[in-house]
Amino acid sequence: RTASGTATFAASSSTGVQRGIENIQLLGTGTTDNSTALAIDLLLDFTGRAAGTLSFDAATMFNSTGNRAGTLRVYGTTDGVNFSELTGTDLPFVATNNVAKSASISGISLPAGFTGSATARLRFYYHNGTGGSSGSRPKLSIDNIAVTSTPQALAISANPASISIPPGTSTTLNVTASGVGALSYQWYQGTAPDTS
């Protein structure tokens, strides 16, 4: 749940999602722990694509004085309602104001449900976490976001059954397949490319 509006970029000292020079900056303020949360979504269209991995960089950015903390999590969804946290996206540090920390998160597997989905979404979710005793919360920057995918492969789930028929009679052969785009089939008598 977000507690701060993120429809527009916030000013550099305000709670919200801020536009950095070459990164996105997140700031959840407030002296009470776990009281302010905000998010920015990355919308993805995997139509005809198999979802691969997520990588990104994150770093603490100093924000005035103090030693309070903030926390980042990454969630995924295909319906914009039900979100699941992506395993492995936890930062290896708590973002503490005025303590320099950074990390590169790489090769995180995207949810299987993203494959073929036109409505996949990653949510970078920041909240003013537990820790520290005074002053400001840190900003957290995210940068170098990379998402991979590959063409969705053709999958044949049922091949035609072998059958012998007398000359001059007919039969029907069926195949069940799924994949990307228009699918077509080529039947051969004998071994391909023998078309006799």
Side-chain angles (χ1 to χ4, degrees):
R1 177 177 301 180
T2 57
S4 178
T6 55
T8 59
F9 285 111
S12 63
S13 60
S14 301
T15 292
V17 177
Q18 303 172 8
R19 181 177 23 217
I21 295 172
E22 294 182 348
N23 57 24
I24 296 293
Q25 300 168 8
L26 308 173
L27 175 60
T29 58
T31 57
T32 303
D33 291 345
N34 303 314
S35 63
T36 302
L38 53 115
I40 186 168
D41 289 357
L42 177 61
L43 307 180
L44 301 163
D45 183 351
F46 285 103
T47 301
R49 308 290 296 178
T53 61
L54 166 68
S55 300
F56 64 95
D57 295 335
T60 300
M61 298 182 64
F62 298 172
N63 179 31
S64 187
T65 61
N67 64 355
R68 297 191 189 277
T71 302
L72 178 73
R73 297 282 187 265
V74 182
Y75 294 85
T77 184
T78 56
D79 63 10
V81 176
N82 300 296
F83 288 84
S84 298
E85 187 173 354
L86 271 65
T87 302
T89 57
D90 291 356
L91 299 180
F93 63 88
V94 173
T96 303
N97 197 30
N98 293 309
V99 178
K101 296 282 186 174
S102 63
S104 293
I105 306 297
S106 63
I108 302 301
S109 295
L110 293 171
F114 277 20
T115 294
S117 173
T119 58
R121 178 184 305 197
L122 290 173
R123 174 164 287 178
F124 292 82
Y125 178 85
Y126 177 91
H127 65 91
N128 61 349
T130 304
S133 59
S134 65
S136 298
R137 304 280 175 175
K139 290 184 186 182
L140 193 71
S141 72
I142 52 175
D143 197 2
N144 298 320
I145 299 170
V147 174
T148 66
S149 70
T150 55
Q152 198 171 354
L154 172 67
I156 298 176
S157 55
N159 281 308
S162 296
I163 187 170
S164 296
I165 59 171
T169 61
S170 63
T171 189
T172 300
L173 302 174
N174 294 304
V175 65
T176 303
S178 61
V180 179
L183 301 177
S184 62
Y185 306 98
Q186 176 68 55
W187 299 108
Y188 295 98
Q189 175 186 347
T191 302
D194 176 8
T195 57
S196 59

